Amino acid sequence: LRALRGADEAAAGPKSLAADAVPATAEGCRAAGRRIGFIEGGFDLLDADQVDRLRRARAACDFLVVGVAADAAERRRRGAFRPVQTQDIRAATVAALDLVDRVVLLAEDGPAAVIEALRPDVLVETEDSGPAPGSDFVRSYGGLVLRARSGEPAALAERRAG
């Protein structure tokens, strides 16, 4: 797989978004009247729970941007043997989902710079991660911060409840 970094759409893939292109993308979405959503994570070994969170995030917006954590950030958060897949492969996997409009590789220090440049209308955080980085910023301009349930896919939870 080709690296997803950089602004060259032909080399990077049509859903890849370079960090420096975030403001222009946001401006274009707003001009078109689209509601922008943002969710971030490691997305290593993509599973049904992660897809469910992406589905819930997509339902809350018209244009979903997904931040994929840098390899170094995932190692710090999850340990020396993670991520199993490189950031480029994880980003390409997330980008292959129809739910996702754009994927941006996050800097090692997290999503704050992307969130500030994007100014999403909706920021989605997961229950197990605590307050999402940038949640106070998003609320400061009237944006919505949603909490997506984590732990098991919705279909499984519904099956157990029924």
Side-chain angles (χ1 to χ4, degrees):
L1 291 176
R2 292 183 183 184
L4 293 180
R5 255 185 234 270
D8 181 4
E9 191 169 289
K15 289 188 178 181
S16 178
L17 180 61
D20 60 357
V22 169
T25 298
E27 185 178 312
C29 285
R30 286 199 177 76
R34 295 174 114 181
R35 184 176 167 113
I36 302 168
F38 180 81
I39 186 170
E40 64 95 14
F43 301 102
D44 196 19
L45 304 175
L46 189 68
D47 61 29
D49 184 45
Q50 293 169 328
V51 173
D52 184 56
R53 286 193 305 254
L54 291 168
R55 187 176 297 116
R56 291 167 187 259
R58 178 56 189 216
C61 65
D62 303 313
F63 190 88
L64 182 61
V65 178
V66 178
V68 174
D71 289 344
E74 278 297 283
R75 269 190 292 283
R76 275 194 309 278
R77 192 165 62 181
R78 304 208 184 267
F81 297 106
R82 296 296 291 271
V84 173
Q85 301 182 80
T86 67
Q87 61 194 25
D88 295 331
I89 291 172
R90 292 181 287 119
T93 302
V94 171
L97 300 172
D98 289 338
L99 300 164
V100 176
D101 293 295
R102 295 291 181 274
V103 174
V104 61
L105 288 175
L106 301 173
E108 289 183 26
D109 58 351
V114 170
I115 291 169
E116 289 176 16
L118 187 62
R119 294 180 61 89
D121 301 293
V122 180
L123 176 67
V124 180
E125 58 188 21
T126 60
E127 289 178 349
D128 60 350
S129 66
S135 58
D136 289 338
F137 174 72
V138 171
R139 285 185 184 103
S140 76
Y141 58 80
L144 181 63
V145 176
L146 298 178
R147 188 161 277 243
R149 179 186 48 80
S150 180
E152 60 184 10
L156 180 61
E158 290 168 5
R159 209 172 325 130
R160 287 185 180 172

